[in-house]
Amino acid sequence: MAQPPLSQRIQRLERELEVRLFDRTSRQVALTKAGTLLLPEARALLVRAASLHAAARRIRDGESGLLRAALPPDIASTTVAALVGAFRESCATVELELHELSTGEQLARFAARELDVGLVQHPCDVTGLELGPVLRRDLGVLLPRGVRASGQSEVALAALSGHELVLFPRAGSPALYDEVLRTCARGGYTPTAVRHGRGDSFVHGLVLSASAVAFTPRDTKGDATDSGLVWRPLAGNPLAWRHSVAWPQGHGDAAVHAFADAAAHALQSTADARPDAPARPTHLRPAAEYWL
């Protein structure tokens, strides 16, 4: 582009934004402070515009659409592989753009219209979303090998007294975080301290170094038993992760429903998940109760 048209476009943009973006002299052009602050936003817009054009081109050419989807960080690799495989079989022409996001991050992207479908954990605020069936994954506890409770076939919450707890950061799912601690308190376990971690290796390291405990489903305990830890079920199954696929109201197209079906099948076949809601439609609360 020649210099005069480029300068004119920059000036029109500055008038529209009502800020000066560049300091221009006869020798150099440099970003102003406002231009520097807006640069990341501008780059993000360019990336999204390129993604939009690419998706439109694929749809125009009859190749595929694009489904922006998300899973929470605690989903095991076998479940991810089963979900992606099942989705590709049913929607071979749709490109799946899969992200690892906490429930809180997914809700923010739904609000920003940057996510088409996701697997959320309840309880959470599902205002403006439609939901698939709720599936439950019972939690067990990871303990350092050799502590008293590790010798039991199943562990009561009260038997964890005196141990710290490793839990996901509260910002990722505030209502679920609070529900876990309330359930622990009702069961007779108040952690001496709460540490935060998400990745398996980091959580396992904290459990070992602090003589702490962590709650995790059987399918995600990974190689914990080879690293000085043991996994035991919780007596009475007082804790569980409850999942359902969610998407914005009115946007449940064929690809979204294919993802929901693939997620449900993958969770039930690889993660011992089971239905945990009435057959009728549910309206989940962002609090301690899971359905009305």
Side-chain angles (χ1 to χ4, degrees), residues 215-236:
F215 301 122
T216 181
R218 184 188 301 272
D219 61 289
T220 60
K221 62 186 176 66
D223 60 355
T225 55
D226 297 326
S227 59
L229 302 177
V230 296
W231 183 92
R232 296 288 184 264
L234 289 169

Side-chain angles (χ1 to χ4, degrees), residues 106-142:
Q106 291 185 49
L107 296 179
R109 292 209 185 186
F110 280 132
R113 300 183 180 180
E114 296 176 349
L115 193 66
D116 300 312
V117 63
L119 183 68
V120 299
Q121 290 178 299
H122 301 292
C124 66
D125 185 355
V126 296
T127 303
L129 300 177
E130 296 182 43
L131 302 174
V134 180
L135 297 175
R136 173 189 176 109
R137 297 158 67 207
D138 289 322
L139 297 182
V141 60
L142 280 176

Side-chain angles (χ1 to χ4, degrees), residues 10-156:
I10 291 173
Q11 290 169 5
R12 285 200 299 269
L13 180 61
E14 289 177 327
R15 286 196 298 270
E16 182 178 346
L17 298 177
E18 298 183 345
V19 293
R20 190 160 52 87
L21 301 175
F22 294 94
D23 284 323
R24 294 179 288 274
T25 68
S26 59
R27 294 189 177 184
Q28 67 176 6
V29 177
L31 284 170
T32 63
K33 181 178 180 180
T36 300
L37 292 173
L38 289 173
L39 183 59
E41 297 286 344
R43 285 175 171 161
L45 284 173
L46 289 175
V47 170
R48 292 179 62 185
S51 176
L52 174 64
H53 283 292
R57 185 172 59 253
R58 287 191 296 270
I59 294 170
R60 180 198 65 204
D61 296 339
E63 296 176 3
S64 71
L66 176 68
L67 186 71
R68 301 167 299 177
L71 296 174
D74 77 317
I75 299 299
S77 58
T78 52
T79 304
V80 176
L83 188 160
V84 173
F87 179 82
R88 285 177 175 169
E89 286 184 8
S90 60
C91 287
T93 62
V94 177
E95 179 182 348
L96 181 63
E97 182 181 283
L98 193 59
H99 302 272
E100 184 184 47
L101 300 171
S102 69
T103 293
E105 291 167 335
Q106 291 185 49
L107 296 179
R109 292 209 185 186
F110 280 132
R113 300 183 180 180
E114 296 176 349
L115 193 66
D116 300 312
V117 63
L119 183 68
V120 299
Q121 290 178 299
H122 301 292
C124 66
D125 185 355
V126 296
T127 303
L129 300 177
E130 296 182 43
L131 302 174
V134 180
L135 297 175
R136 173 189 176 109
R137 297 158 67 207
D138 289 322
L139 297 182
V141 60
L142 280 176
L143 312 105
R145 190 183 303 276
V147 301
R148 179 180 301 177
S150 68
Q152 302 171 9
S153 59
E154 60 179 23
V155 178

Side-chain angles (χ1 to χ4, degrees), residues 161-231:
S161 295
H163 289 283
E164 297 181 2
L165 174 63
V166 182
L167 196 57
F168 56 86
R170 187 178 184 276
S173 187
L176 178 59
Y177 184 100
D178 295 344
E179 177 70 14
V180 169
L181 293 182
R182 280 195 296 267
T183 302
C184 287
R186 288 196 297 265
Y189 169 45
T190 300
T192 57
V194 178
R195 299 172 181 263
H196 299 117
R198 293 205 319 182
D200 286 346
S201 296
F202 188 75
V203 170
H204 294 176
L206 288 178
V207 172
L208 283 170
S209 64
S211 191
V213 300
F215 301 122
T216 181
R218 184 188 301 272
D219 61 289
T220 60
K221 62 186 176 66
D223 60 355
T225 55
D226 297 326
S227 59
L229 302 177
V230 296
W231 183 92

